[in-house]
Structure formats: structure tokens, C-alpha cells
Amino acid sequence: MASGAGAGGLFSRSSSGNVPTMRGLVSFIADLRNARARELEEKRINKELANIRQKFRDGNLNGYSKKKYVCKLLYIYILGWNVDFGHLEAVNLISATKYSEKQIGYLAVTLFLHEEHELLHLVVNSIRKDLLDHNELNNCLALHAIANVGGKEMGEALSQDVHRLLISPASKAFVKKKAALTLLRLYRKFPGIVQQEWAERIISLMDDSDMGVALSVTSLVMALVQENPEQYKGSYVKAARRLKKIVVDNDCAEGYFYYKVPCPWIQVKLLKLLQYYPPPEDTHIRNLIRESLQRIMDSAMEMPKNVQQNNAQNAVLFEAINLVIHLDTEQDLMVQISTRLGKFIASRETNVRYLGLEAMTHLAARSETLDPIKKHQSIIIGSLRDRDISVRRQGLDLLYSMCDPTNSQAIVSELLKYLQTADYAIREEMVLKIAILTEKYATDIQWYVDISLRLIAMAGDHVSDEVWQRVIQIVTNNEELQVYAAQNILQYIKSDCHETLVKIGGYLLGEFGHLIADTKGCSPIEQFMALHGKMRSCSGSTRAILLSSFIKFVNLFPEIKPQLLQAFRAFSHSLDSELQQRACEYLALASLPTDDLLRTVCDEMPPFPERASALLSRLHQKHSTTSDKRTWVVGGRDANADPKEFNLVQNTGLKRSFTNAAPLRKDSKSAAPNGSNGTNGTTLSRTTSDLAGLDMNIDTNKVLKAPNLASAAHLSPDWEIGYNRLLLRPEGVLYEDAQIQIGLRTEYRGELGCVILYFTNKSSFPMGSFTTTLDNPSVETLKTDIKGLPDTVIPPEGQTQQMIMFESKNVFTEAPTIRISYLAGALQALTLKLPVVLHKYMDAAELSGDDFFKRWKQIGGAPREAQGVFGLAVKGRTTSMEWTRKVVAGFKWGILDGVDPNSRNIVGATVLHTKEGKFGCLLRLEPNFETMMYRITVRATDESVPPILMKIMEERLAQGMEG
């Protein structure tokens, strides 16, 4: 009995005999106490639940009692006990008028209910009522519930009200913050909930005077920008300006300084947001960003006083470094960060080493030269043995990114050395990266085969299917690899090797074994014995590949047919239905009286078609689950310059061929089937999954393009009044209404034009979040450069201005448009066309009659001539010679009097300036004032010019003048 007790484990025994140890006794007593306490607790809980249930059944409970009993249910639920009643009572508490009762009701709803709970629809109206309430505390309770519980149905029903709270001028700052974060939570779960027309209004809140609101809205905008960059591109200028205000102007509320660092959280978000867009071409915006980045770099040189300040500075600094690398235009800053990163990766602090390696990986992905990084190659290789696995993983990423033809063999060699002792957590990723580098930089076929097989032999179970299948694909597609690969794989199979090598051997020997059959030690029987010897220790899928190899051997090596038939007979009785069917099919095929069908079925495999590299797809999948989209790919500059590979950050799949890939053979009629070792898909239908990973079909999701509100498709009513006026004038009013007046002044010299816009607030209240967005449809031929931005707040009767430079690179057709939005209670927005038209870049010319006719004949007719006949398009309008001459002169034609034999005709000459060159233009306008008709003829030295000049003149002349 004592012996049984000791062995049974009530008490653990000491080494000296049957005396129970103190630890075993204490543990046993503790277990008894816990069991007893649990039993007593359960009895108490059941008694309390029965009491609460009875109270709810009896009814007539006042608000306080309901709150008390729901609180008890919540406590029981939090302790881990199942509560299957009282949910409806909790839901009813939401409608209570007292805050304490309502609070408990919302708390219960967030704990008891989930987004698909059947009672959830009962609370939607109550939540909406609290969202519409003027009590901010009730607003916050409702927002918490939506954020924590809200499913798709609740989100769709209440998102409009959440958005209204966010944008309402009456909402307090803390309500706006919660509304922004609630929308962010809903968007992450159901992106369709945030509507496209909200974009401008949400962006405008980035200018909010409350730093907390700006921070919350920036978090929301960051998520939205990643999926809809075009729709939220207005956030770029907002981010650049806000960053400059915080970093340079030190414009930050006192409560948002963290150890003397002004609001590092929003700094990091703004710096990251700027990385989702290409570098700006506008001088003013570039200067804003450059000034902020330089100040961050300078601040980082100051010695922090404590750990917290150091962490905050580093968080901002490293995000700033990432932005500098992304911009790739600030050479002075690039030199600074290259030097600093070398110090960071050698730092004693683990976090700094990690961030330094990550930033250097980004630098390797963008930099044109890897020389500054190669200086630190020994330190980077040493990071593979860092005590922190995150640092080791980041060091691996950096080595992968900095690899090029000059150091590839050294880096691959180091990675193979480290692979033997690497953590299991990163071995699979290491194998993928070694395989990709080996393929990418292989100049010697033997080196590629040796490294690939050695890698698979060393890594064993950490080799994914994509790796060995890619080796097969490359060997099959490159004839010069086939003999060497077959010889080497046979030597591996003859020894004690991993099963993955057996799969490769089964395929390669079945395809190319006949190429080495005359080599010593590689005879047919030796190949068969080597593969057959692995059959017993392999899995069913590997055996299936080997059986397919054996049917190939029947066709290639008739001398060993008896041994092969015996193998088929043995497996024809297998309990595995897959193996049994294969063996029976192969046995029947090999036993046919003639070899005609066998030769057809076992014909040589054609090369695989060039398709996506499964290795790259698998590698980039590892980064696709991060909360923020990557703006760069882990890899060198080539990988980031290739849009196909860059898309792997979001979508897997990339067409990538081996460096020395051979072209398709002339005798191959079709692409390699997705089947097993050389057997065709019709006869051996059961083998289609042997190399399934080799088929990488890519499905790309079509993204609906958001409307561009700054484009000409959304011009505001009455935009054409000021536009038509300023087509012929250098300055004047472009637009005016009861709230705003927009004036314009222009100056053109050669191919350069300067436009200054003046915005005057005519109202008696300030305009907030004043924003302008330029849209240039002629981006290839008309270059824009914003030299200044308007103030974000315009006081009553106040004015602000904006300067934009326009350079005519070549002949352009469409004028730019500008979107102006501002907060005046609600969001007000205008879209206007700017009178930046081709004729603005013309200078009137003076010619004699002889010179005019000489050049007119030299230019000749079509295609360098455009002619049209038209009349007045507006009823009640008229025309006259004086008005017509004034319009022609306004279009910058030099009017040549006395040249045309008909004195009523108007003849003109001008020179068009573009960056590509100058073009001479000639005009003949024939007016008929009796019929109110015109005939216009324009000739130019470039055939693209006349149709454009004729069109803009026709549009203006057809309007006539007011009677």
C-alpha cells in the first residue's frame, strides 16, 4: 500500500527512502484547498445567480436595483462563470437617464454581447439616441460601445452619426478624438464603412488646434491613405506643414511634451504618412520637409537626460531617417544618416541596434550604391549571433538586401555557416533567402547546384516545398545543369539524406538519369537501388514521386524492367489508395505488348513556362500581415525598382526567371503540366499534386479609383465667368461669392509662368483649415511647382496668398484646376479652372507683309494648319471689329495691319515658347459682322499647335460681347 502510494504520486519520495518531501506535501494540500475553494465558490455563485434570476422574474426593480444586479452578473462573468440570462436587463439600462445606470448598461453590453449577437439590434436605436444627445458623456459611452462591439450591421447604421460627431463644430475635443478612433476601428474591420465623400472633411481636421484631435485624426488618415492614396493626397501638405510647426516652430500644447520632445507620437505618424507618397516636386513643400528633417537630426545630437527622452528621440529620429531614404533627394542628409547608421548598428542598446539595422536595410533597398553599407559587413554578419532574435532576424534581412554580384558568394557562405546553429524560428526564412540569392547571383552552374543541394541537406525539415520545387524548375529549364545535378543528387541519395533530397532525386533521375547512365557509379541498376532503398522510410507523397520515376526507368532502361515490375507489384497491394492506383496503372502500362503508349506517356518533360517565383511569393508573405503597408521591399534597389516585385508587399506572385534560363525547346508543344514526374495529365490523372507548388497563377484585385474632386470633372457653378475674363487679362478676379473672393495675378516670361492667387475672406467669421489642391492633367508637358501655401486660417476680412510656377515643357492641351476648401461652420469647397493656357506662353511678333506671306507659304497647309468656321454660340450677344481685335490681341497675337488685301480681315503673328523649343505661329481671321460668323486659319511650325490655338480662340470668340 505504501509502495503504491509512493509510486502513484500523492507524495513525491526523497532519494533516501519513503519519507514524503515537503514540496510534495505542500503541493497536495494546496490542491485540496483549491478544489475545496472552487467547490464552495461554485455553490455561492449558483445561489447568487438563482437569487438574481428570481429578482428579474419578479420585476418591479428600480434603476438602482437593476444596476446593482447587473453589476453582480458582470463580476460573476469576469470571474469566468457562465451567465446565460440578464442580458436584456443590461440592454434596458442603456436607455436609463442616470449616468451611473447608463454606464453599467454600456459596460454590460460590451462584455456580454458580440458583433453577431441576436440582442445587438435592440441597442442600435439607443446608441443612436446617445450619439445625437448634447451630453458629451453619453456621446463617449456610445462611441466606446460601437468601437468595442460594433459589427458590420451596427457600423453601417451608425457610422454617419459617428462621422457627424467627428466633424461637428459643436463637438468637444475629447468627443472628436473618440469619434476618430471609433471610425478607425470600424474601418479596419469593414473598410466600406468610411465613405469617399468624407475624405476632404476628415483631412481638414489634421489642422485642428487641439493636438489630441490632430493625433487621433492622423491615425485615421494613415490607415485610409494606405488603401486610397489618391483620394487622401491632400493629407500630404497637411502633414508637412504640421510637422514643421511642431518640430521647427515648437507649436505644441504643453501637455503633449514627452520628456521635452514635442508630441513624438504625432511626429512619428506624420513622418510615416509622408512615406506613402512619392517625393514632392514642389519647392515649398520640399523645403518644409527638409527643414523639419534637419531639425530632427540636429536635436538627436543633443545628449538625452534619461531613458525616456532617449527612446522618444530615437523613435522620431529613425522614422525621419526612413523618410530621408524614401525621398532619396536630400544628398546632404543621406551622407549624415549613412555615418550615423554605422554607429547605431554597433550600439550597446538592443533597440538601437535593431532600428539601425532596419533603417540600413531600407537604405540598401533605395540606395544606388551599397559601398557605405559594405563598410560595415563584418558588424552586420556579427549581428546574426546577437543575443536578441529580433536583431538576428533584422541582420538577416540586411544581408539579404545588401547582396550583389561582388559579395554574394561570401554572404551565402556565411549564411550557410550560421544556418547550422540558427534558431528554429528563422531557419525557414533563412532557407528561402539563401535559395533566392543563390539563384539570383549564380554565374557558375556548379556553384548553384552545390549550394542548393547543400542547403536542402543542411536545413532538412525547414525546407518549404517552394524551395525544392524551384530547384527542379531551374534544372529542367537549363540543359547545362542537368548532368551535373543528376550526378550530385545521386551521390546524396546513396548516403543518409533528408526526404526532400529524395523527392528531388526522384524527379531529376527520372528525367535525366539516362544522361549519366554510362558514368561510373551511375548505372541504371545503381540509380534504381538508390531510389528503391529510400522507399520504406519515406512518406506517401515521396513514394508516389518515386513510382513515377520508376515508370520513366521502364522506358529509359529496359534492362532493369524485371526489378521495376516487381516494385509495381509490391505497391499494387498497398493500403494507401493513391500508391495502389499508381502502381496498378504503371504495372498495366509497363506490361503492354508494345512500347508505343509507354513512350508517349513517358516523353521528356518540356521546360516549365516562366512563371512567378514561389520563393519570392513565400518570402514576401511573411511581411504582408503587418498592420501598416510596407513602402519598400526587403531586397536591393532592383527589387524596389521593379513594380511587379514591389507589389508582392501586398500581393504574392512575381514573374522571375533564372539568370541563365534556357529558351523553350523547339519540340515542346505545351507547358509542363502541373503533375508528377514527366507523366502526362490524361493517363496519370492521380499524379497532379506532386509538384503543385510550381503553378503560381496570380490574381490581382481590381481597386475602384476614387473620384478626384480637384479635377475638371467637378468644376463649381459659375467658374467660367472669371476664367473667360482672365484668358485675355494678366490679373483680375477669378471667382467671388458672399464668403470668398479669389483674385489672380500672372506674369509670363518665355516658357515660365508665375501665378499668384489671393484669397480674401469676405465674411465676419474666420475660415479654418484653408486648403488648396492643384490638379494638373497635362503633367507630362506642363510642370508645376508650388512656391508657397496659403495660411490655414484666414481671419474675417483677412487675406492670404499662394504662388505657383508653371513651366511649359512642351505643347499642352488642358488647363490645370485647383480645389479650394475651408471650414466656415461646415466644409465649403470650390473647384476652379486656372487660366493657364497655351497662348499665355506666346509673345506677339511684328512682321512685314512680305515676311508674313513668305513664312505662310513655307509652313504650308495640313497638317501644320487648322481652319474652322463658326458663329456666335450665345443668344443676345453681338460682335464688332473693335471687340474682335481686342480679343485677338488678348490672345497675344501681334496684329499686322495692312498685310491682308481685305482690310476687314485680321492677320497676326506670334512666337510660342516651350522648354523643348520655340514655335512660330501665324493667324488669319476673317470676320463677317453681318452674319455674325468667323473663319479662322492658324498655321504653326509644329503640327500640334494650330488645333489647340484655334480651339481656344473659337471658344472665346463664339461667346461674343454683351449688347
Side-chain angles (χ1 to χ4, degrees), residues 244 248 286-296:
K244 193 256 184 184
V248 179
R286 273 207 312 268
N287 288 338
L288 285 178
I289 297 173
R290 183 189 295 115
E291 193 175 353
S292 301
L293 291 172
Q294 188 62 64
R295 179 61 62 89
I296 292 172

Side-chain angles (χ1 to χ4, degrees), residues 155-328:
E156 289 174 346
L158 300 174
S159 58
Q160 291 274 5
D161 299 304
V162 176
H163 177 252
R164 184 193 56 78
L165 276 179
L166 173 63
I167 67 174
S168 172
S171 295
K172 296 288 180 65
F174 65 89
V175 175
K176 288 184 179 181
K177 287 192 290 185
K178 294 180 188 299
L181 296 177
T182 301
L183 270 184
L184 175 59
R185 179 67 180 270
L186 290 175
Y187 175 77
R188 284 175 173 166
K189 293 174 74 174
F190 312 105
I193 281 176
V194 176
Q195 299 175 21
Q196 292 182 349
E197 56 267 27
W198 296 352
E200 277 187 304
R201 192 64 179 86
I202 291 174
I203 292 171
S204 68
L205 289 168
M206 292 177 69
D207 286 329
D208 198 283
S209 57
D210 187 279
M211 188 63 74
V213 174
L215 176 57
S216 300
V217 171
T218 302
S219 300
L220 173 61
V221 170
M222 262 193 65
L224 294 167
V225 159
Q226 293 175 49
E227 298 297 333
N228 309 287
E230 186 65 25
Q231 189 176 4
Y232 288 87
K233 66 180 180 181
S235 64
Y236 192 90
V237 174
K238 298 282 186 190
R241 293 185 71 160
R242 191 88 196 209
L243 184 66
K244 193 256 184 184
K245 280 186 177 181
I246 295 170
V247 175
V248 179
D249 303 336
N250 221 26
D251 182 8
C252 180
E254 188 64 33
Y256 285 89
F257 278 85
Y258 181 80
Y259 290 90
K260 297 186 178 180
V261 180
C263 199
W265 312 280
I266 198 170
Q267 284 193 56
V268 169
K269 291 181 184 296
L270 294 173
L271 289 165
K272 188 170 287 187
L273 192 152
L274 292 172
Q275 295 173 51
Y276 287 110
Y277 290 93
E281 295 184 358
D282 301 308
T283 307
H284 181 71
I285 299 172
R286 273 207 312 268
N287 288 338
L288 285 178
I289 297 173
R290 183 189 295 115
E291 193 175 353
S292 301
L293 291 172
Q294 188 62 64
R295 179 61 62 89
I296 292 172
M297 295 289 183
D298 294 341
S299 299
M301 296 295 291
E302 300 172 7
M303 186 64 70
K305 295 184 178 179
N306 49 53
V307 175
Q308 290 86 352
Q309 186 179 357
N310 184 44
N311 290 339
Q313 282 185 350
N314 283 340
V316 176
L317 173 63
F318 280 104
E319 207 56 63
I321 288 173
N322 282 325
L323 178 57
V324 172
I325 296 168
H326 172 77
L327 296 175
D328 198 22

Side-chain angles (χ1 to χ4, degrees), residues 685-887:
S685 59
R686 300 290 294 180
T687 66
T688 56
S689 62
D690 289 352
L691 296 175
L694 287 175
D695 189 15
M696 297 297 296
N697 296 321
I698 307 172
D699 257 341
T700 55
N701 298 322
K702 294 183 179 179
V703 181
L704 294 175
K705 194 172 182 181
N708 179 7
L709 297 176
S711 71
H714 298 86
L715 290 171
S716 301
D718 301 327
W719 66 271
E720 67 271 22
I721 298 173
Y723 174 80
N724 289 329
R725 182 190 307 124
L726 290 170
L727 275 179
L728 309 177
R729 301 178 187 174
E731 59 184 47
V733 176
L734 179 64
Y735 181 85
E736 186 171 14
D737 60 22
Q739 290 185 318
I740 189 171
Q741 181 189 74
I742 301 170
L744 183 140
R745 186 158 61 89
T746 61
E747 184 178 350
Y748 291 88
R749 292 182 182 177
E751 69 273 12
L752 294 176
C754 175
V755 175
I756 303 176
L757 291 157
Y758 297 92
F759 306 100
T760 304
N761 180 2
K762 297 172 60 180
S763 65
S764 57
F765 45 81
M767 293 177 174
S769 190
F770 196 88
T771 306
T772 59
T773 306
L774 190 68
D775 182 65
N776 178 21
S778 305
V779 66
E780 298 296 329
T781 50
L782 181 66
K783 181 183 177 183
T784 63
D785 186 5
I786 295 174
K787 293 292 187 180
L789 292 170
D791 297 332
T792 55
V793 178
I794 308 178
E797 309 299 330
Q799 187 182 81
T800 185
Q801 67 182 50
Q802 178 174 13
M803 180 188 291
I804 309 173
M805 299 295 294
F806 292 93
E807 181 183 14
S808 175
K809 296 193 289 186
N810 208 328
V811 179
F812 63 94
T813 56
E814 295 184 66
T817 54
I818 190 167
R819 177 81 167 175
I820 299 133
S821 63
Y822 55 90
L823 294 179
L827 179 72
Q828 308 291 329
L830 299 165
T831 302
L832 305 173
K833 184 177 286 191
L834 294 176
V836 180
V837 194
L838 190 62
H839 75 269
K840 294 285 187 177
Y841 294 90
M842 300 195 309
D843 285 330
E846 293 184 6
L847 292 176
S848 66
D850 292 340
D851 288 341
F852 177 85
F853 285 113
K854 181 181 178 181
R855 296 186 183 185
W856 183 270
K857 290 179 181 178
Q858 284 177 344
I859 294 173
R864 291 187 288 186
E865 177 188 270
Q867 189 176 79
V869 178
F870 59 93
L872 299 187
V874 182
K875 288 184 179 181
R877 296 288 178 91
T878 184
T879 182
S880 68
M881 175 59 76
E882 182 184 358
W883 180 82
T884 302
R885 287 177 64 91
K886 186 177 179 181
V887 170

Side-chain angles (χ1 to χ4, degrees), residues 945-957:
V945 176
I948 300 171
L949 295 182
M950 186 191 73
K951 182 182 177 184
I952 58 178
M953 289 191 69
E954 179 181 327
E955 289 175 351
R956 186 67 188 92
L957 288 167

Side-chain angles (χ1 to χ4, degrees), residues 878-909:
T878 184
T879 182
S880 68
M881 175 59 76
E882 182 184 358
W883 180 82
T884 302
R885 287 177 64 91
K886 186 177 179 181
V887 170
V888 172
F891 276 105
K892 293 193 173 183
W893 291 95
I895 298 177
L896 310 178
D897 293 318
V899 172
D900 196 286
N902 187 342
S903 61
R904 299 181 68 179
N905 294 344
I906 300 174
V907 174

